[in-house]
């Protein structure tokens, strides 16, 4: 061992490991400061972005608002002088002073010509009473001839010798219109009023921006023009009762009730700009409330206020982008700073670790030498040629040699000649597997030894280390155990024969029991199939009726087809042949349901949908339900669920329950059948504890006489039946109960308070498969 460890290492053995310095965690205050700084920067980015984007949105809205007001004013001014120009024509005054049928016809034609040239909606002439005496639409079903408009403000302005303007819904057409009026003079007296009407639809600006809404409101905040058709004729604010009365008296909006738009002001940015919130009218989008930046300017000459509403969703998007960008930049800066600090720390830790490692190695080598010198196992080290360079005190006691006597000697000289090949193979493999050899002591006495050879690294070379254990005492115990084993083995042989005979008898009994179980299962399957065929027999009359109708129809269509072919009417013949194909498809569908129901089960439990199973079962009874005019009610859950069962056998259970329900109501005046499916959570007792599981309930109810109280506990017994003798075997419910039990569920029966009986099938929901 002197070749393994430096001599100075022993002096450090009792010094112990150096104390490791605790790793300092980042201060809590520093982490809190970083979080607060992060929150502050993100908040500032959000505030700045919102302010900037709202200002940009306001500038854009103000520009668009100015353009739209100029556009509206230009369109309105285009027609402002038209009534004044037409009212100055002498023919109007002459007509009003001498109204005759012929002059009325001529004036109507003239006004129609003016209307077509100017492309306005209508031009009409009122007398001093406000009654229309001539109009461009005199030939229209909605002609103004004879209508009195004295209630309109444009009449009251013009009758006083002034220009008149008015906007509102037409009392005849119901259209939104803008009206211009001008008096017709005879000298200084007003003898009539000329009115020009334009349709507001011609003034509306086609709006293509989905994030912008254009609104024009009157002094009462009623929306008269809007790019959003759902906002038309709705007020921005609740109208006081006196304003409603005034609006109704002028019939500005006809008989329409003005509703309030779900409009709310959030913040006022300046006297003409607000942040507002408007909820949608569609109940499906009630949760999606839109926020707008609203900019408004008055239009005094028209009596309107024009609004531009810009949706702020892009502002929120930009806020989110800039917040994420700020957060990303901040995190990158923090991570780079942390990386730099951590790198310096790692370098310091690496220097300290190297220093501590060197010191620990010296201490460990001293400790290892002390362990080797004081261990009870013999240890030798040797080079790759098998020459010994170190033995510990235990190995010296084992062989009777001292280190200086064995140093440089070959290890094979310590092994008995007969076992030297074993020792050589152990050195070649050096796989740390224990082998037994017989060593030779200094006094030439053999000693049994257990040897383990392993490789060890010393600097740049790899040598052997051999661990030796004296197994003399163990060998003595093994010989004693072998003698006891031989004695026990003779006793075991004597008793083996008796056990073999008993095992043979037990095997025969097990085979007999297995045969009985297979026979029972086969009998049950045959009973299930027989019950299914019985149900098919009960439904045969209804199925026969369903098939007879298509067959009769096919014959009729075939005869018609022959007749049409004889008459060379191929089109009608083709129609009859297509009807025959459709009827054969219907017959195939009916027979396919019977084949599907009559199939045998595979016996394997899989994930199935109870809804699909109930649907398959109901298809078999559809003809009977329609034929007997049975009131049928099906209640299924909206939630999709699955159970672990056999689809064929579960379908057999549903068919049996429906068949029993139909039999129960066959002689009743009120014939009702109901199938209800629902989900429940229940506590179920287990061998060790009570568990909570999700269950599926399928309830089949009828309006029959119910189940006698003394029979409720017996209806699931084999061969028990309440039907007349010869009309039932009493196996349907017994088989159904056994099938549901195989699925891990149960069936319960009880009478309904309103009359009739209910059979409830309870199945556990498949774990992890329900939605």
């Amino acid at each position: 061992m002197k070749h393994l460890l430096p001599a100075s290492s022993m002096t450090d053995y009792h010094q112990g490991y150096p104390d490791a310095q605790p790793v300092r965690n980042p201060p809590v205050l520093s982490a809190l400061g970083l979080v607060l700084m992060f929150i502050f920067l993100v908040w500032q980015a959000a505030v700045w972005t919102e302010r900037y984007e709202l200002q940009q949105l306001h500038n854009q809205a103000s520009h668009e608002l100015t353009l739209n007001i100029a556009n509206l004013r230009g369109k309105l001014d285009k027609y402002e002088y038209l009534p004044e120009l037409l009212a100055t024509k002498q023919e109007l005054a002459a007509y009003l002073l001498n109204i005759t049928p012929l002059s009325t016809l001529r004036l109507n034609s003239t006004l129609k010509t003016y209307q077509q040239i100017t492309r306005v909606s209508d031009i009409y002439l009122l007398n001093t009473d406000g009654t229309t005496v001539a109009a461009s639409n005199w030939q229209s079903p909605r002609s103004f001839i004879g209508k009195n408009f004295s209630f309109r403000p444009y009449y009251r302005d013009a009758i006083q010798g002034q220009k008149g303007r008015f906007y509102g819904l037409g009392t005849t057409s119901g259209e939104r219109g803008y009206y211009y009026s001008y008096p017709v003079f005879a000298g200084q007296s007003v003898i009539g009023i000329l009115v020009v009407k334009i349709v507001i639809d011609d003034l509306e600006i086609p709006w293509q921006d989905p994030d912008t809404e254009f609104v024009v409101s009157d002094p009462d905040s009623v929306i008269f023009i809007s790019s959003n058709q759902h906002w038309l004729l709705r007020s921005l604010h609740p109208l006081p009762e006196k304003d409603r009365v005034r609006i109704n008296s002028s019939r500005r909006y006809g008989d329409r009730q003005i509703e309030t738009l779900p409009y709310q002001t959030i913040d006022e940015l300046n006297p003409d700009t607000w942040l507002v919130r408007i909820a949608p009218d569609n109940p499906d989008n009630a949760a999606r409330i839109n926020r707008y930046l609203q900019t408004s300017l008055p239009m005094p000459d028209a009596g309107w206020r024009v609004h531009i509403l810009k949706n702020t969703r892009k502002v929120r998007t930009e806020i989110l982008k800039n917040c994420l960008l700020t957060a990303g930049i901040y995190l990158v800066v923090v991570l780079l700073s942390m990386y730099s600090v951590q790198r310096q720390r790692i370098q310091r830790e690496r220097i300290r670790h190297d220093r501590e490692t060197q010191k620990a190695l010296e201490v460990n080598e001293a400790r290892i030498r002390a362990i080797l010198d004081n261990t009870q196992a013999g240890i030798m080290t040797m080079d790759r040629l098998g020459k010994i360079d170190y033995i510990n005190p235990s190995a010296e006691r084992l062989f009777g040699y001292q280190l200086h006597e064995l140093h440089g000697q070959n290890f094979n000289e310590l092994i008995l000649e007969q076992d030297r090949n074993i020792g050589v193979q152990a050195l070649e493999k050096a796989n740390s597997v224990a082998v037994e050899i017989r060593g030779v002591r200094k006094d030439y006495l053999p000693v049994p030894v257990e040897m383990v050879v392993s490789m060890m690294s010393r600097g740049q070379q790899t040598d052997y280390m051999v661990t030796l254990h004296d197994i003399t005492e163990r060998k003595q115990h093994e010989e004693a155990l072998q003698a006891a084993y031989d004695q026990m083995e003779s006793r075991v042989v004597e008793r083996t024969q008796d056990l073999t005979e008993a095992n043979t008898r037990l095997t025969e009994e097990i085979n007999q029991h297995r045969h009985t179980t297979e026979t029972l299962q086969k009998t049950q399957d045959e009973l299930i199939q027989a019950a299914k065929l019985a149900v098919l027999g009960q439904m045969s009359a209804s199925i026969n009726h369903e098939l007879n109708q298509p067959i009769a129809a096919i014959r009729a269509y075939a005869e018609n087809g022959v007749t049409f072919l004889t008459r060379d009417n191929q089109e009608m013949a083709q129609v009859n042949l297509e009807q025959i194909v459709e009827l054969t498809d219907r017959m195939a569908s009916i027979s396919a349901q019977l084949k599907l129901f009559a199939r045998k089960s595979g016996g394997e439990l899989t994930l199935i949908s109870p809804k699909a199973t109930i649907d398959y079962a109901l298809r078999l009874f559809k003809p009977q339900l329609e034929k007997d005019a049975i009131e049928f009610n099906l209640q299924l859950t909206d939630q999709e669920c699955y159970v672990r069962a056999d689809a064929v056998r579960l379908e057999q259970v549903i068919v049996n329950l429906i068949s029993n329900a139909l039999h129960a109501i066959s002689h009743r005046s009120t014939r009702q059948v109901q199938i209800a499916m629902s989900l429940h959570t229940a506590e179920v007792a287990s061998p060790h504890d009570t568990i909570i599981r999700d269950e599926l309930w399928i309830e089949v109810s009828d309006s029959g006489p119910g189940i006698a109280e003394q029979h409720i506990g017996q209806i699931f017994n084999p061969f028990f039946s309440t039907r007349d003798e010869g009309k039932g075997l009493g196996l349907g419910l017994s088989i159904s109960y056994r099938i549901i039990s195989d699925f891990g569920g149960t069936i319960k029966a009880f009478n309904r308070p309103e009359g009739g009986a209910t059979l409830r099938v309870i199945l556990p929901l498949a774990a992890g498969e329900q939605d």
Side-chain angles (χ1 to χ4, degrees):
M1 196 63 184
K2 295 177 181 178
H3 299 276
L4 293 174
L5 303 172
S8 60
S9 298
M10 284 299 294
T11 61
D12 299 328
Y13 173 68
H14 295 289
Q15 294 179 3
Y17 289 102
D19 295 335
Q21 296 182 0
V23 179
R24 296 182 180 176
N25 293 321
V28 176
L29 293 178
S30 298
L32 180 60
L34 291 175
V35 173
L36 292 178
M37 178 61 71
F38 174 80
I39 295 174
F40 175 76
L41 290 177
V42 173
W43 174 69
Q44 284 295 317
V47 170
W48 181 87
T49 303
E50 182 181 25
R51 185 181 299 115
Y52 176 79
E53 291 297 331
L54 288 179
Q55 183 61 40
Q56 295 297 316
L57 205 60
H58 173 262
N59 295 339
Q60 181 182 356
S62 299
H63 178 69
E64 293 179 1
L65 185 62
T66 303
L67 292 178
N68 291 331
I69 291 178
N71 190 11
L72 277 176
R73 183 177 289 112
K75 290 184 178 181
L76 292 177
D77 293 345
K78 175 181 177 181
Y79 302 100
E80 182 177 8
Y81 297 100
L82 181 60
E84 181 180 359
L85 180 64
L86 296 178
T88 58
K89 292 184 175 294
Q90 293 299 323
E91 55 185 325
L92 295 182
Y95 168 76
L96 291 172
L97 294 174
N98 184 20
I99 299 176
T100 64
L102 180 60
S103 62
T104 300
L105 180 61
R106 290 176 179 175
L107 183 58
N108 285 337
S109 299
T110 302
L111 293 180
K112 178 66 174 178
T113 302
Y114 292 160
Q115 180 266 331
Q116 292 176 347
I117 293 174
T118 58
R119 296 182 180 180
V120 296
S121 176
D122 298 292
I123 301 175
Y124 50 100
L125 181 65
L126 309 180
N127 60 17
T128 54
D129 295 331
T131 302
T132 305
V133 295
S136 62
N137 61 358
W138 60 284
Q139 291 179 324
S140 172
R142 59 180 184 88
S143 172
F144 296 162
I145 299 296
K147 300 288 179 69
N148 187 280
F149 297 105
S150 60
F151 59 89
R152 290 296 198 185
Y154 63 76
Y155 165 79
R156 293 194 294 268
D157 292 340
I159 201 66
Q160 295 177 3
Q162 302 174 358
K163 295 180 181 179
R165 278 192 178 192
F166 180 74
Y167 55 90
L169 296 182
T171 57
T172 302
S173 64
E175 297 177 335
R176 291 174 299 142
Y178 199 92
Y179 302 83
Y180 301 89
S181 64
Y182 196 82
V184 179
F185 292 95
Q188 299 297 324
S189 301
V190 178
I191 61 174
I193 298 165
L194 184 68
V195 183
V196 176
K197 174 186 176 182
I198 61 173
V199 179
I200 293 298
D201 291 345
D202 298 335
L203 300 180
E204 288 184 322
I205 303 170
W207 211 254
Q208 302 298 330
D209 188 355
D211 292 328
T212 303
E213 301 293 350
F214 175 72
V215 173
V216 176
S217 62
D218 66 6
D220 297 313
S221 297
V222 177
I223 298 175
F224 192 67
I225 301 176
S226 175
S227 58
N228 190 329
Q229 296 300 315
H230 298 288
W231 296 356
L232 284 175
L233 301 184
R234 302 180 70 176
S235 64
L236 296 175
H237 308 289
L239 293 176
E241 186 61 28
K242 62 178 183 179
D243 291 341
R244 291 183 180 272
V245 172
R246 176 173 51 79
I247 293 173
N248 292 335
S249 64
S250 68
R251 300 184 67 184
R252 181 185 295 274
Y253 303 117
D255 297 331
R256 181 159 181 168
Q257 294 297 323
I258 306 300
E259 298 179 356
T260 303
L261 188 71
Y263 172 95
Q264 179 184 3
T265 301
I266 303 175
D267 188 18
E268 181 177 353
L269 303 183
N270 57 56
D272 294 325
T273 305
W274 306 270
L275 279 177
V276 299
R277 180 187 291 113
I278 302 178
D281 293 327
N282 190 349
D284 297 336
N285 298 327
R288 299 180 57 187
I289 298 177
N290 293 320
R291 292 179 42 158
Y292 297 93
L293 177 71
Q294 176 180 343
T295 301
S296 304
L297 287 176
M299 195 172 172
D301 50 351
W304 290 339
R305 190 172 186 86
V306 184
H307 314 265
I308 288 288
L309 289 87
K310 289 285 187 178
N311 198 309
T312 61
R313 66 167 65 94
K314 291 184 178 179
V315 175
R316 296 193 294 272
T317 302
E318 291 300 322
I319 292 174
L320 178 61
K321 288 181 180 178
N322 287 346
C323 287
L324 291 177
L325 180 60
T326 302
I329 294 174
Y330 178 79
L331 291 176
V332 169
V333 172
V334 170
L335 290 176
L336 288 176
S337 301
M338 293 176 63
Y339 172 76
S340 177
V341 173
Q342 188 69 12
R343 181 182 178 88
Q344 296 176 2
R345 181 187 172 197
I346 290 174
Q347 289 177 349
R348 292 194 299 268
E349 288 291 331
R350 183 177 301 165
I351 295 172
R352 184 179 62 84
H353 181 266
D354 292 342
R355 187 165 53 247
E356 292 178 352
T357 301
Q358 181 63 31
K359 191 173 182 179
L361 285 175
E362 296 174 357
V363 174
N364 285 337
E365 287 183 358
R367 177 177 294 180
I368 291 171
R369 180 169 181 174
I371 291 173
L372 294 178
D373 289 343
N374 292 279
T375 185
Q376 297 298 318
I379 297 178
M380 290 185 179
T381 61
M382 59 193 75
D383 60 16
R384 300 301 297 270
L385 299 177
K387 293 182 178 182
I388 300 171
D389 57 18
Y390 169 81
I391 65 172
N392 70 341
S394 296
E396 292 177 349
R397 291 191 296 271
L398 179 61
F399 290 101
Y401 293 100
Q402 293 184 357
L403 176 58
H404 68 276
E405 294 177 294
L406 293 178
H407 190 275
Q409 299 297 320
N410 196 291
F411 175 68
N412 287 336
E413 296 178 2
L414 297 178
I415 302 175
L416 196 65
E417 186 175 356
Q418 293 85 343
D419 295 343
R420 286 182 180 174
N421 288 335
I422 299 175
V424 172
Q425 294 177 2
L427 290 176
E428 292 177 352
K429 296 180 179 179
N431 54 5
S432 300
V433 176
V435 297
E436 295 182 1
I437 61 171
R438 287 171 293 176
V440 181
R441 290 175 52 83
K442 186 176 181 181
D443 55 7
Y444 300 105
L445 293 177
V447 55
V449 176
E450 183 181 70
M451 178 180 70
V452 177
V453 180
S454 58
M455 305 297 294
M456 70 173 184
S457 177
R458 292 194 294 186
Q460 300 297 324
Q461 62 181 3
T462 304
D463 295 335
Y464 295 114
M465 184 175 72
V466 181
T467 304
L468 304 165
H469 295 276
D470 186 356
I471 59 174
T472 302
E473 185 177 354
R474 191 177 76 183
K475 285 294 183 182
Q476 293 174 355
H477 287 300
E478 288 180 356
E479 292 175 358
L481 288 173
Q482 184 63 38
Y485 176 78
D486 293 340
Q487 184 180 3
M488 185 182 296
E489 190 175 32
S490 62
R491 294 180 181 177
V492 171
V493 171
E494 294 175 359
R495 297 181 182 178
T496 300
Q497 187 173 0
D498 296 337
L499 292 175
T500 302
E501 294 176 358
N503 185 51
T504 301
R505 292 194 299 271
L506 181 60
T507 301
E508 292 176 355
E509 292 178 1
I510 292 174
N511 292 334
Q512 185 178 2
H513 177 71
R514 183 182 295 109
H515 178 70
T516 302
T517 302
E518 293 175 353
T519 303
L520 179 61
Q521 183 64 38
K522 183 177 180 181
T523 303
Q524 179 183 343
D525 294 340
E526 293 296 332
L527 287 174
I528 292 175
Q529 191 67 15
K532 293 168 69 174
L533 295 177
V535 173
L536 289 175
Q538 295 174 5
M539 295 188 296
S540 61
S542 299
I543 300 300
N544 184 45
H545 176 71
E546 286 293 314
L547 292 178
N548 282 338
Q549 289 182 347
I551 290 174
I554 287 173
R555 180 181 179 87
Y557 282 125
E559 292 175 352
N560 292 340
V562 172
T563 302
F564 285 127
L565 289 175
T566 303
R567 298 176 180 178
D568 198 20
N569 191 344
Q570 295 184 1
E571 181 178 356
M572 292 303 299
Q574 182 178 357
V575 171
N576 281 266
L577 291 175
E578 290 175 352
Q579 293 294 328
I580 292 173
V581 171
E582 182 178 348
L583 290 171
T584 54
D585 290 341
R586 178 181 174 187
M587 296 173 64
S589 175
I590 295 172
S591 62
Q593 292 297 321
L594 294 177
K595 291 179 182 178
L596 182 64
F597 179 70
R599 70 190 188 281
K600 289 188 177 181
S601 168
E604 296 183 358
L605 301 185
T606 58
L607 289 179
I608 65 171
S609 171
K611 292 183 181 180
T613 304
I614 294 174
D615 182 61
Y616 288 143
L618 290 177
R619 292 182 186 179
L620 297 173
F621 291 97
K622 181 178 180 182
Q624 183 175 355
L625 294 175
E626 295 177 351
K627 176 183 177 184
D628 297 338
I630 295 174
E631 183 180 347
F632 181 75
N633 185 17
L634 178 63
Q635 299 178 1
L636 300 178
T637 61
D638 297 333
Q639 182 178 358
E640 187 63 38
C641 56
Y642 300 90
V643 297
R644 189 168 293 279
D646 183 329
V648 177
R649 290 196 287 166
L650 181 58
E651 183 181 336
Q652 171 64 23
V653 172
I654 302 300
V655 169
N656 282 340
L657 298 184
I658 297 175
S659 178
N660 288 343
L662 294 177
H663 181 269
I665 64 174
S666 58
H667 300 293
R668 306 287 291 183
S669 59
T670 300
R671 292 184 290 181
Q672 298 175 343
V673 175
Q674 174 179 304
I675 298 179
M677 189 174 76
S678 57
L679 301 178
H680 299 271
T681 301
E683 295 184 355
V684 181
S686 63
H688 303 289
D689 197 0
T690 300
I691 62 175
I692 298 178
R693 72 177 185 183
D694 295 327
E695 295 180 342
L696 172 70
W697 289 8
I698 302 176
E699 295 181 339
V700 181
S701 306
D702 60 66
S703 60
I707 305 172
E709 293 297 331
Q710 64 270 23
H711 293 160
I712 289 182
Q714 302 176 348
I715 61 175
F716 297 112
N717 295 337
F719 303 108
F720 177 83
S721 176
T722 58
R723 300 185 183 182
D724 297 338
E725 185 175 357
K727 293 186 178 180
L729 298 177
L731 293 175
L733 290 178
S734 175
I735 293 173
S736 298
Y737 188 87
R738 176 67 181 274
I739 291 174
I740 298 302
S741 298
D742 291 343
F743 300 160
T746 185
I747 301 181
K748 295 182 180 180
F750 54 88
N751 290 318
R752 302 196 300 170
E754 63 271 23
T758 297
L759 276 87
R760 177 184 295 162
V761 177
I762 302 176
L763 291 171
L765 285 177
E769 297 297 333
Q770 63 269 21
D771 292 338

